[in-house]
Amino acid sequence: MEKKKVVVALGHRALGTTLPEQKIATKKSAKVIADLIESGASVVITHSNAPQVGMIHTAMNEFSKAHEDYTVAPMSVCSAMSQGYIGYDLQNAIRAELLRRGIYRPVSTVLTQVTVDPYDDAFYTPTKVIGRILSEEEAEAEESKGNYVTKVDGGYRRIVAAPKPQDIIEIDAIRALVDADQVVIAAGGGGIPVLVQDEELRGASAVIEKDLISEKLAEMIQADELLILTSVEHVSIGYHTPEAAPLGKITISDARKYMAQGQFEPGSMLPKIEASVEFLEKGGKRAVITSIDKAKEGFLGKTGTIIEP
C-alpha cells in the first residue's frame, strides 16, 4: 500500500486540560493516530496547547512573585515548555499503542520555532487572552512593560498578538524524520514564535494559530492531505440556527463563497477553513475537517467536511 503523507492537527479535545486529563486523552489520541498509520498514512502531528501554556504561564508568574530572585518566563519559553510537556505524553502514548499492535515506528517530538513578521498587523491589535486574572495594579505593571491587557470579569488579563507564520526553522529536521518513516510531532501550539535578528532568534510575545501552522507545515513537507480534527464531525453553514446544514464534499470555490457570507466563526471554524483553502491552493490534494472520533473515516473519505480543488 502506498503511504499518503498526512499532517494531522489535534485540537484541545485530543489533549485534555490538566495533567491527569492529558494522560488519559493522549492515550485515546494515540489509538486514533495508530488507526491512521494502519490505514496507510505517514503521519506528522501538530497540536493545540492553550490550556497547557496558560497553566505554565500562570505557574511561572506565581513562582516569580514568591521568589524575587526569579523573573517571569516570557511567552516563548512557556510555549517551548508546553511543546515538551505535551510531546512527552503524546509520543510515549503513540509509541506504546503502536507496539501493542506489532508496529515498530519511532516517534519523535521536534521543538519547533516559527518565524513571524515583526511588522505583522497582529502586533498592533493583539487578541489572544493568556494567563491568570490580574489586579488593577498588576495590569498597570504589565502595561508599563509594554504588554497589553484587557478588562475581564474579576479583573484584567494579558492579551498577545497572533501573527501569521512565515517559516519553520526546524523544517529540514522534520523532513528528514518523515523521510525516515518516523511519526513526527512538530509545531505544537502553533510553534514558538520568533523574530530573526541577524544570526539570533528572539522569542516574540505572541501565539500562532494552530491551524495556520498546520497548513504551513503541510505545505513545506509537501503533504498529500491536511486532516484537522476538532469536536464536530462536519463543518456546518447556518451554525446555531434552525437552517444549520452540515457540509460534505465541497470545493475551494464553495469554501470561499461560504467565507464571504460569514458562515464560519472567527477564532473557531474560520481558521480551519482558511488553512484548508490555502493548503489546496499551494498544491495539497485534499483537506478534511472532522471529529477526532471519526478521524479514520475522514481519512478514508467516508465522512467529515472534505475540501478538494
Side-chain angles (χ1 to χ4, degrees):
M1 180 189 299
E2 184 178 352
K3 292 182 180 179
K4 289 174 64 177
K5 195 183 298 182
V6 183
V7 169
V8 181
L10 299 177
H12 164 60
R13 186 179 171 194
L15 301 172
T17 300
T18 65
L19 274 71
E21 282 180 7
Q22 182 171 296
K23 279 284 187 184
I24 295 168
T26 51
K27 287 181 180 179
K28 292 180 179 178
S29 297
K31 295 180 186 296
V32 171
I33 298 301
D35 286 345
L36 293 173
I37 291 169
E38 286 187 327
S39 299
S42 174
V43 175
V44 180
I45 302 161
T46 65
H47 59 78
S48 63
N49 74 338
Q52 289 85 353
V53 79
M55 175 181 65
I56 292 166
H57 185 264
T58 299
M60 297 303 290
N61 278 353
E62 290 300 312
F63 183 80
S64 69
K65 285 171 61 180
H67 303 274
E68 61 181 23
D69 292 336
Y70 291 86
T71 60
V72 297
M75 274 302 299
S76 56
V77 172
C78 294
S79 180
M81 293 171 73
S82 75
Q83 282 190 13
Y85 154 51
I86 295 169
Y88 167 68
D89 278 347
L90 194 54
Q91 75 177 36
N92 284 342
I94 294 169
R95 174 185 176 277
E97 182 61 31
L98 291 176
L99 288 174
R100 277 191 285 269
R101 301 186 189 200
I103 301 170
Y104 177 74
R105 191 73 54 81
V107 187
S108 301
T109 299
V110 179
L111 198 66
T112 313
Q113 300 175 96
V114 178
T115 61
V116 295
D117 182 352
Y119 301 106
D120 191 306
D121 288 343
F123 283 110
Y124 304 101
T125 55
T127 58
K128 293 291 183 178
V129 178
I130 63 164
R132 63 177 177 83
I133 293 177
L134 306 171
S135 66
E136 185 172 357
E137 182 181 358
E138 289 172 322
E140 289 174 354
E142 288 293 335
E143 289 184 322
S144 70
K145 301 174 192 174
N147 296 324
Y148 292 87
V149 298
T150 186
K151 191 169 179 57
V152 297
D153 288 343
Y156 300 82
R157 292 181 70 187
R158 272 195 66 192
I159 50 174
V160 296
K164 291 182 179 179
Q166 301 297 312
D167 195 14
I168 298 173
I169 297 296
E170 290 76 21
I171 192 62
D172 289 338
I174 294 167
R175 288 192 186 113
L177 292 169
V178 173
D179 291 344
D181 204 26
Q182 294 203 26
V183 179
V184 183
I185 303 164
I192 305 162
V194 294
L195 303 170
V196 179
Q197 296 182 342
D198 297 322
E199 297 84 8
E200 301 289 335
L201 296 173
R202 176 173 168 265
S205 184
V207 295
I208 296 171
E209 283 280 3
K210 177 260 300 176
D211 299 313
L212 299 186
I213 194 57
S214 299
E215 183 285 320
K216 176 63 72 174
L217 179 58
E219 173 194 331
M220 294 184 78
I221 66 170
Q222 296 182 310
D224 298 295
E225 184 169 312
L226 175 61
L227 178 58
I228 300 177
L229 302 180
T230 183
S231 59
V232 292
E233 186 172 347
H234 295 87
V235 179
S236 294
I237 54 174
Y239 195 53
H240 289 319
T241 73
E243 292 77 33
L247 297 174
K249 290 188 178 181
I250 63 173
T251 64
I252 291 175
S253 178
D254 295 328
R256 287 204 171 279
K257 177 182 70 177
Y258 295 135
M259 283 194 288
Q261 293 173 355
Q263 293 283 358
F264 310 120
E265 187 177 353
S268 178
M269 198 56 73
L270 181 59
K272 295 172 175 54
I273 297 293
E274 290 175 332
S276 298
V277 168
E278 187 161 352
F279 171 62
L280 295 172
E281 290 180 336
K282 295 291 179 62
K285 297 175 183 176
R286 186 171 73 168
V288 181
I289 304 171
T290 193
S291 67
I292 188 167
D293 299 329
K294 298 292 183 178
K296 179 180 176 180
E297 291 89 338
F299 172 67
L300 296 175
K302 296 179 179 179
T303 193
T305 297
I306 300 171
I307 310 173
E308 296 175 329

